[in-house]
Structure formats: C-alpha cells, structure tokens
Amino acid sequence: EDQVTQSPEALRLQEGESSSLNCSYTVSGLRGLFWYRQDPGKGPEFLFTLYSAGEEKEKERLKATLTKKESFLHITAPKPEDSATYLCAVRADSGGYQKVTFGTGTKLQVIP
Amino acid sequence: DTGVSQDPRHKITKRGQNVTFRCDPISEHNRLYWYRQTLGQGPEFLTYFQNEAQLEKSRLLSDRFSAERPKGSFSTLEIQRTEQGDSAMYLCASSFRTGSTGELFFGEGSRLTVL
C-alpha cells in the first residue's frame, strides 16, 4: 500500500531562518508528487508538482526537490505569512486508477 | 472561473440524522474527488468520479456514506445515521485528466460536527 511520511510533524522557525521539510514515500508506479499549503480551516492550496528524480520547482521562498525516495521543501528566509501546514501527496497507479495519497503534514510556525 | 465551491461550509447535526454536502467543481474538470480530514491529519481519500462514473471508493468508507455525480457536473456526499466519529472536514477536489500536471484543486471544505 502507498505510504507517505512527512517530517517533522511541527517546525518553529525564527523569521529569516531557513530550513527544509521532508516527505518520504513508498509507492509503486509514481505518477507525480505534489506539495500543498493548508491554512487553518481552509482547503489545501496547490504549490508544486514534481514528476521525476532530480526535478526542482521554485516559487518565491519555496523550492521543492525530488529523489527516488523522498522530496524536500526548502524554505529560504521565511516570513510569518509562510506559517501554515505543508502537505505532501503522491499520485500512483492503483489497479488502473491513479490514486492520490496524502501525508499528515508539517505544521510550520514562523515567529517574527 | 470561481474554483471549487462547497456547501454548506459548516454543519452541526445530532447523532442519527442524515446530512448532505454539495460540491461544484471547476467547470472544465472531469475528475472529482471527496476526501475527509480530521484535526492534525492529512486528507483521507473517500471516493473518486470520472465524469458521472464513480470509479473508486475507499474500503474505509462505511455503507452509510454515498456519493453521486449526476450528469458529470456537481457532486453530493450523503452521510446517513451520522455518528460522532463522522465529525471532520469533508473536502472536495477536482482535476483534469491525467496527462496534464494532474494536481487536485480543493474547495474550502464542509466542516461537520455531530453532537
């Protein structure tokens, strides 16, 4: 069964303190890895899609990378408005249907 | 395009009552998903439609749950005889056919509280 594990569960950073979030996955037939941001009480907001090992995507202070077993979301010089839960998800083949499985997320708090 | 919309945003009900949630996907999307999310957890897959056909349903989904997508447009998720364990955020998402980037676009969710 597909598994997605995110670490750490929670991360507290000072404003400007760069760090990385980890997403490790075990799937057969990976068809894409997604990163989402979720604010409290809201639906997840799409950030990035990665398809193959070595691929990188950037958006403002965020950079996502992918290897064969894990993905990292690097946050450079974070600001308080980056505080949110960051979710990782994988799309994989599942009996002819491509299922999307989510991890439990990393709750990021950026302190001014 | 106003994105995925869900209604109601909040629902409080008593145990044993039936509830129904509605999802209007992005108009050109033919795939529609329902997820459930509890506090501190990631979204958990419930069911998936391609056009009007329900192609996948989670084994975790009780028979009290039923979903429809008539005419391949909006979808409804009904929970019969609600239990306190059904309290959660119910999220709807839509996407294009795989072959594009394949990401899911989520609505704001419908929060259910069962007393």
Side-chain angles (χ1 to χ4, degrees), chain A residues 23 31-36 46 48-51 87-91 100, chain B residues 101-104:
Chain A
C23 170
R31 293 288 178 253
L33 184 140
F34 310 117
W35 282 98
Y36 286 83
F46 170 74
F48 303 110
T49 305
L50 301 167
Y51 286 104
L87 295 164
C88 172
V90 295
R91 179 187 289 276
V100 179
Chain B
T101 49
E103 66 270 18
L104 307 184

Side-chain angles (χ1 to χ4, degrees), chain A residues 1 34 36 38 41-44 46 49 51 87 91 97-98 100 102-104, chain B residues 9 33 35 37 41-43 45 48 56 98 100-104 106-108:
Chain A
E1 185 163 319
F34 310 117
Y36 286 83
Q38 187 173 28
K42 300 288 184 69
F46 170 74
T49 305
Y51 286 104
L87 295 164
R91 179 187 289 276
Y97 155 65
Q98 295 194 0
V100 179
F102 282 82
T104 54
Chain B
R9 292 291 313 280
Y33 305 76
Y35 283 81
Q37 188 176 26
Q41 299 298 312
F45 170 77
Y48 153 72
E56 184 78 8
T98 302
S100 60
T101 49
E103 66 270 18
L104 307 184
F106 283 87
E108 294 294 322

Side-chain angles (χ1 to χ4, degrees), chain A residues 42-59:
Chain A
K42 300 288 184 69
E45 176 188 348
F46 170 74
L47 293 173
F48 303 110
T49 305
L50 301 167
Y51 286 104
S52 56
E55 190 175 359
E56 300 182 351
K57 294 276 180 72
E58 285 189 66
K59 181 180 180 180

Side-chain angles (χ1 to χ4, degrees), chain B residues 87-108:
Chain B
S87 295
M89 175 78 88
Y90 289 85
L91 294 164
C92 176
S94 67
S95 75
F96 286 109
R97 287 173 63 98
T98 302
S100 60
T101 49
E103 66 270 18
L104 307 184
F105 293 86
F106 283 87
E108 294 294 322

Side-chain angles (χ1 to χ4, degrees), chain A residues 82-99:
Chain A
D82 295 323
S83 297
T85 295
Y86 291 85
L87 295 164
C88 172
V90 295
R91 179 187 289 276
D93 289 330
S94 176
Y97 155 65
Q98 295 194 0
K99 186 176 176 181

